[in-house]
Amino acid sequence: MSVLIRGGTVVTADETYRADVLCQDGKIAAIGDNIEAPPDARIVDAGGQYVMPGGIDPHTHMQLPFMGTVASEDFYTGTSAGLAGGTTMIIDFVIPAPKEPLMEAYHKWRGWAEKAVSDYSFHVAVTWWDESVHEDMGVLVRDYGVNSFKHFMAYKNAIMADDEVLVNSFQRAMELGAMPTVHAENGELVYQLQKQVLSQGITGPEGHPLSRPPVVEGEAANRAIQIANVMNVPLYVVHVSCKESLDAITRARSNGQRVYGECLAGHLVIDDSVYRHKDFKFAAGHVMSPPFRSREHQDALWRGLQGGNLQTTATDHCCFCADQKAAGKDDFTKIPNGTAGIEDRMAVIWDAGVNTGKLTPNEFVAVTSTNTARIFNIYPQKGAIKVGADADLVVWDPEGSRTISAETHHQNIDFNIFEGRTVKGIPSHTISRGKVVWADGELTVERGAGRYINRQPYAADFEALARSKEYNAPQAVKRG
Ligand code: URQ
Ligand code: ZN
Ligand code: ZN
């Protein structure tokens, strides 16, 4: 089965040129002028459109058990919705409960993800520490293609990692050649501020941002950056939402420290007025952490992307329907934190970024796909239009438009934070591993077609590792 994408303009993170693209056996087989169509080829007419690497969303939580419930979007519906929006790969999270063995959690999540329709990988969260965690991190890097470990600095009395966990885990990541990542909010401060806000009689969603002001995020981002600095390890800060954490990243990068920042499509275009809406479902539907911020923070995030101090965009796709959010109708701290976005990220960022001149089409590709592939060491298999790369592509119609709504989206949630937003620039076709899976508004997906993507460690001190006792330990284990 082959697909010939004809007449389009190829747009990568680095260049723009007119060329046909031939996909065969799941890979990009040829790129060039007037490619002859093989007899079995499906022809995609890309005239007047852009042919770009499929989006990679480095931050999703499909079917996450969290705050007493389970996210409504699973790996089948969530990856399907991603394909409808031009996203062809996700990096999700394995999040062990405290004291849950990392390997046990990893295999559990791998089982859940088998129904995915597009490719996926996992960051693994370090939510506690002992010698077994140290060991499991090594096994995950060496034998299961994990090269990034997440740390939630928020969520006290749940999955919060304190400084002892951060320091031990960052040290281990450095040994293994893996990337530590952080959800940077000071969980102790959040906990205290939540109690203060509630004691003032504020129980509605308007209390959520009051308990997590930007300074609470900025402190944690800077603390994680300084710990990474001392431990001599790179750092990736997820969902940077405010100036305070962006400034900490910018300062570190200007000092030559290897720190990367991610921002969410939602944080780029939605402000904190949503929490003051009188309708509980509307306001609670926007409860996520870090919260949506006031306008000046959005402008800062766009400058961060333009200036290269933020490298990637994501969604933190973590869906809870109205009946789940209602758990917090009398106490905002009990509203499950999370919002959707996987289907809308690409179009929202194109419309708000490229159509306004903030980003060039090449920069759009960089921040929605290629930079994530490079940072997490899967480039050019992913995030590239090169012969031999996976044939994950999106044919982008810059003149097409749609109005975003929960009524019409493919996401398994009864709410959409971008409700009513009309975007210009949408995917007319999505190709996943060389198959047309989205065309003319129709999904054609196959449950379980998604593949787990191994991500190799960075240059680690393998010699030292090889000499260490560990290399005698592992039995023959299958690759991830
Ligand atoms: O904190 C996260 O990233 C997860 C639990 C999703 N929820 C959220 O509010 N961001
Ligand atoms: Zn988070
Ligand atoms: Zn998240």
Side-chain angles (χ1 to χ4, degrees), residues 59 61 150 152 155 183 238-239 289-290 316:
H59 194 152
H61 299 282
K150 173 74 172 289
F152 291 92
Y155 307 126
H183 169 137
V238 308
H239 51 44
S289 296
D316 201 354

Tab-separated table of all heavy atoms in Angstrom, residues 59 61 150 152 155 183 238-239 289-290 316, ligand 2:
chain	number	residue	atom	x	y	z
A	59	HIS	N	2.675	15.717	25.718
A	59	HIS	CA	2.088	15.802	27.057
A	59	HIS	C	0.600	15.476	27.013
A	59	HIS	O	-0.245	16.366	26.814
A	59	HIS	CB	2.297	17.217	27.620
A	59	HIS	CG	2.029	17.311	29.089
A	59	HIS	ND1	2.641	18.229	29.914
A	59	HIS	CD2	1.200	16.602	29.891
A	59	HIS	CE1	2.200	18.085	31.153
A	59	HIS	NE2	1.321	17.106	31.155
A	61	HIS	N	-2.543	12.647	28.900
A	61	HIS	CA	-2.860	11.709	29.992
A	61	HIS	C	-4.124	10.945	29.619
A	61	HIS	O	-5.218	11.253	30.082
A	61	HIS	CB	-3.107	12.462	31.298
A	61	HIS	CG	-1.951	13.268	31.800
A	61	HIS	ND1	-0.874	12.708	32.454
A	61	HIS	CD2	-1.698	14.594	31.737
A	61	HIS	CE1	-0.017	13.653	32.797
A	61	HIS	NE2	-0.479	14.815	32.373
A	150	LYS	N	9.458	12.031	34.754
A	150	LYS	CA	8.640	13.166	35.165
A	150	LYS	C	8.625	13.296	36.668
A	150	LYS	O	8.614	12.293	37.404
A	150	LYS	CB	7.208	12.973	34.639
A	150	LYS	CG	6.181	13.974	35.119
A	150	LYS	CD	6.352	15.313	34.437
A	150	LYS	CE	5.220	16.266	34.748
A	150	LYS	NZ	3.941	15.906	34.112
A	152	PHE	N	6.341	15.478	39.598
A	152	PHE	CA	5.280	16.425	39.923
A	152	PHE	C	5.689	17.137	41.202
A	152	PHE	O	5.740	16.523	42.270
A	152	PHE	CB	3.949	15.691	40.123
A	152	PHE	CG	3.384	15.100	38.860
A	152	PHE	CD1	3.670	13.797	38.484
A	152	PHE	CD2	2.570	15.864	38.032
A	152	PHE	CE1	3.156	13.250	37.319
A	152	PHE	CE2	2.039	15.330	36.857
A	152	PHE	CZ	2.347	14.019	36.500
A	155	TYR	N	0.708	18.656	43.951
A	155	TYR	CA	-0.107	17.513	44.354
A	155	TYR	C	0.390	16.836	45.633
A	155	TYR	O	0.647	15.638	45.690
A	155	TYR	CB	-0.252	16.482	43.218
A	155	TYR	CG	-0.755	17.060	41.917
A	155	TYR	CD1	-0.051	16.866	40.732
A	155	TYR	CD2	-1.912	17.839	41.858
A	155	TYR	CE1	-0.484	17.414	39.533
A	155	TYR	CE2	-2.354	18.391	40.668
A	155	TYR	CZ	-1.643	18.173	39.506
A	155	TYR	OH	-2.071	18.723	38.310
A	183	HIS	N	6.662	19.068	36.473
A	183	HIS	CA	5.482	19.901	36.644
A	183	HIS	C	5.860	20.844	37.772
A	183	HIS	O	5.961	20.415	38.928
A	183	HIS	CB	4.265	19.047	37.020
A	183	HIS	CG	3.062	19.837	37.461
A	183	HIS	ND1	1.790	19.539	37.037
A	183	HIS	CD2	2.929	20.931	38.270
A	183	HIS	CE1	0.937	20.395	37.585
A	183	HIS	NE2	1.603	21.252	38.333
A	238	VAL	N	7.540	21.205	31.882
A	238	VAL	CA	6.289	21.046	31.144
A	238	VAL	C	5.346	22.205	31.458
A	238	VAL	O	5.535	22.937	32.437
A	238	VAL	CB	5.611	19.694	31.484
A	238	VAL	CG1	6.589	18.537	31.313
A	238	VAL	CG2	4.994	19.683	32.873
A	239	HIS	N	4.344	22.357	30.647
A	239	HIS	CA	3.304	23.386	30.739
A	239	HIS	C	3.730	24.659	31.471
A	239	HIS	O	3.157	25.025	32.485
A	239	HIS	CB	1.982	22.835	31.271
A	239	HIS	CG	2.000	22.035	32.542
A	239	HIS	ND1	2.707	22.393	33.664
A	239	HIS	CD2	1.352	20.891	32.873
A	239	HIS	CE1	2.492	21.513	34.608
A	239	HIS	NE2	1.677	20.607	34.162
A	289	SER	N	-4.055	22.540	36.108
A	289	SER	CA	-2.895	23.155	36.775
A	289	SER	C	-1.667	23.034	35.897
A	289	SER	O	-1.393	21.968	35.351
A	289	SER	CB	-2.646	22.459	38.106
A	289	SER	OG	-3.758	22.682	38.951
A	290	PRO	N	-0.885	24.106	35.771
A	290	PRO	CA	-1.145	25.444	36.288
A	290	PRO	C	-2.392	26.061	35.648
A	290	PRO	O	-2.721	25.715	34.527
A	290	PRO	CB	0.113	26.228	35.901
A	290	PRO	CG	1.120	25.211	35.507
A	290	PRO	CD	0.354	24.026	35.012
A	316	ASP	N	-1.471	18.721	27.352
A	316	ASP	CA	-1.793	18.176	28.685
A	316	ASP	C	-3.226	17.621	28.651
A	316	ASP	O	-4.022	17.823	29.564
A	316	ASP	CB	-1.663	19.252	29.760
A	316	ASP	CG	-1.470	18.624	31.138
A	316	ASP	OD1	-1.559	17.381	31.236
A	316	ASP	OD2	-1.257	19.372	32.110
B	2	ZN	ZN	1.193	18.816	35.171
